[in-house]
Amino acid sequence: MSSLSHQCPQCGAPVELQKTDRIFTCPFCQVRLFIYGRGPLEFFIPPRISSPGTLVYMPYWRLRGNVFVLTASRTQHKILDSSLLAVKTNSVLPTLGLRAQAMTLHFVEPTTPGSFVQPDLSSAILKAQLVKFIPGLDLPNEKRLVAYIGDSLSLIFQPLYALEQHFIDGLTGKILGPMDVDREKFHPASSSLRFVSTLCPKCGWDLQGHSQSLVQTCSHCETTWEAGPNQGKEVQVCFRTSVSSPDLYLPFWNVHFATTGFTLKTWSDLIQLTNLPKVPQPWMAVTPFTFRVPAFKIRPELFLNLASAVSLHQPGQVTSTLPKVPLHPVTLPKNEAFEAIPVVLGRMAPARKSLFLRIQGGKIAPVKATLEYIPFVQQKEEYFQPELGMAILKNALHWSTRL
Ligand SMILES: [Zn+2]
Ligand SMILES: [Zn+2]
């Protein structure tokens, strides 16, 4: 894994952190700060040579996540981990290769010197392109649902020098090729990166949580916060209650959505749409249906199974009281959970062919997501959820913070 280095905004000490950290922790002055960016986080590799040319940084999208392809009869999933040049030029390498792993990265800040070429390929286009090149993934020419769920999407800028109509590699000094990117595309850094206080905006207490978690909690006023541009932004959270006393809570995004072209508002609509073998009951006609998608990184097959099992479980009692047992870190942003909705719907349907016909030409658009924590009881090698009768191996969760 690539390392990341940053000067502490409070005491100036150089601090090493993980690229997956969402909280900056300084071991010298003990400050803890949210790492906030409006879009994907931006990193750069500093040049290793000096040159009389203009220092220019070329953007690469770096993606890591799960890809799902569902057809009427088949479910495929693959782990995607790649980088791709985000600008049209023939002079530089199309991918970062091993560079992104071997080099120390730095955050692009609004004040970082040099010219930055802004990507002309959006991350959505990139995802669609990458899916075509995933080894072993079969894209049959039939109706299908495809989702790319990136648990890590970032921009990595690689250093070049523009000198006398040529690009020179900022790491090796090698001439790469003719300068085929318009100088008008060279801009100063436009990063929105900020380091934001982790003091509770409501009561001033220190927020707590895992350094890789997107949310932090205040045990004093029992509130939950994510990074905002100037301070923490409150997140709506609830905790499912359980018959047994839990040892761990796993976070799920409870996704509210709207459909066009087909109807999916209540549990009755869901049963009709998917042909689920459930006996209709009065509550189903009046209870809104929402999707529950894991808010943490986990292997693709488990991700889809968990989303489906938890979404299909009739919502139980919830409380807003912060439990005393550990909360698993939230490592999957809600925007990525939104991408999963169509494939979760596909996964839930026993007869996918008729579902495809019913949703053809329609759309599901996310409206909002709240966090819902589900309690699990610790057993020898797994965590067990008594209400759902569901178990997750402990090492499957361990994988989720290492990825
Ligand atoms: Zn410090
Ligand atoms: Zn508080």
Side-chain angles (χ1 to χ4, degrees):
M1 191 196 254
S2 54
S3 58
L4 173 65
S5 172
H6 189 75
Q7 207 177 6
C8 174
Q10 183 163 286
C11 75
V15 176
E16 296 289 317
L17 56 163
Q18 300 288 328
K19 250 189 83 197
T20 41
D21 281 345
R22 289 298 169 261
I23 299 290
F24 176 91
T25 311
C26 177
F28 304 99
C29 72
Q30 314 301 330
V31 72
R32 288 180 88 243
L33 299 162
F34 276 118
I35 301 168
Y36 169 83
R38 213 171 27 243
L41 291 179
E42 301 181 9
F43 305 97
F44 73 98
I45 304 172
R48 283 199 168 169
I49 57 149
S50 54
S51 159
T54 312
L55 176 60
V56 182
Y57 288 99
M58 227 23 110
Y60 288 77
W61 285 114
R62 170 111 168 86
L63 296 109
R64 192 157 45 188
N66 297 329
V67 176
F68 298 95
V69 177
L70 272 69
T71 57
S73 56
R74 227 174 131 199
T75 300
Q76 297 178 79
H77 49 72
K78 286 270 179 264
I79 295 171
L80 175 62
D81 188 349
S82 66
S83 65
L84 202 69
L85 184 63
V87 176
K88 290 186 195 93
T89 157
N90 295 316
S91 294
V92 302
L93 289 171
T95 75
L96 278 174
L98 292 173
R99 279 189 172 184
Q101 275 138 55
M103 301 287 166
T104 299
L105 302 176
H106 296 261
F107 284 115
V108 179
E109 294 187 89
T111 53
T112 306
S115 291
F116 290 78
V117 179
Q118 291 311 304
D120 30 56
L121 265 177
S122 77
S123 62
I125 293 173
L126 175 75
K127 286 176 179 180
Q129 282 194 357
L130 281 176
V131 166
K132 291 186 205 148
F133 300 111
I134 299 171
L137 191 71
D138 181 24
L139 284 178
N141 198 12
E142 57 179 298
K143 285 198 185 67
R144 62 194 190 208
L145 296 169
V146 179
Y148 172 87
I149 299 149
D151 45 52
S152 168
L153 170 68
S154 55
L155 269 175
I156 296 181
F157 286 92
Q158 127 140 299
L160 305 177
Y161 287 99
L163 181 65
E164 292 167 3
Q165 303 311 314
H166 282 92
F167 278 134
I168 295 169
D169 191 322
L171 300 175
T172 62
K174 238 175 71 184
I175 294 178
L176 294 169
M179 197 182 88
D180 56 357
V181 176
D182 202 331
R183 270 183 190 269
E184 280 176 15
K185 285 191 173 168
F186 297 179
H187 294 289
S190 64
S191 154
S192 60
L193 183 81
R194 283 186 193 186
F195 293 88
V196 178
S197 161
T198 55
L199 293 182
C200 175
K202 215 172 229 172
C203 75
W205 207 259
D206 284 322
L207 298 179
Q208 290 164 338
H210 194 284
S211 66
Q212 292 182 20
S213 182
L214 292 158
V215 306
Q216 305 282 308
T217 53
C218 175
S219 57
H220 186 246
C221 70
E222 304 206 332
T223 49
T224 302
W225 305 84
E226 62 185 351
N230 302 307
Q231 59 174 12
K233 204 171 118 200
E234 193 163 5
V235 181
Q236 207 185 322
V237 175
C238 69
F239 304 88
R240 285 259 190 116
T241 54
S242 177
V243 286
S244 31
S245 56
D247 300 297
L248 176 77
Y249 281 81
L250 292 182
F252 287 76
W253 291 113
N254 184 5
V255 182
H256 300 249
F257 59 90
T259 58
T260 44
F262 62 94
T263 306
L264 179 53
K265 285 195 175 110
T266 63
W267 277 75
S268 299
D269 296 336
L270 176 76
I271 290 163
Q272 271 184 17
L273 194 66
T274 56
N275 292 98
L276 274 169
K278 277 189 189 275
V279 182
Q281 290 172 34
W283 68 267
M284 293 176 177
V286 293
T287 307
F289 174 77
T290 57
F291 289 96
R292 287 172 178 78
V293 179
F296 50 97
K297 302 167 191 173
I298 192 145
R299 301 193 80 84
E301 62 275 26
L302 284 173
F303 181 88
L304 211 48
N305 288 349
L306 272 172
S308 166
V310 176
S311 296
L312 283 177
H313 188 252
Q314 186 190 346
Q317 294 255 308
V318 295
T319 166
S320 59
T321 308
L322 201 63
K324 298 278 176 278
V325 297
L327 305 177
H328 191 71
V330 173
T331 49
L332 190 91
K334 62 181 152 213
N335 287 339
E336 296 299 327
F338 290 160
E339 307 265 335
I341 297 309
V343 291
V344 177
L345 180 64
R347 170 68 179 75
M348 292 190 303
R352 225 177 269 163
K353 209 168 185 173
S354 50
L355 170 74
F356 281 3
L357 288 172
R358 287 172 193 145
I359 64 173
Q360 196 175 355
K363 270 204 169 104
I364 306 186
V367 174
K368 65 162 189 171
T370 57
L371 261 187
E372 185 168 320
Y373 282 91
I374 299 192
F376 283 75
V377 179
Q378 180 163 216
Q379 295 184 342
K380 205 170 166 217
E381 278 170 0
E382 58 190 25
Y383 286 105
F384 182 69
Q385 212 303 320
E387 281 73 23
L388 275 81
M390 185 174 74
I392 301 177
L393 284 173
K394 281 182 183 172
N395 55 22
L397 288 179
H398 179 61
W399 188 83
S400 82
T401 50
R402 275 189 303 130
L403 186 83

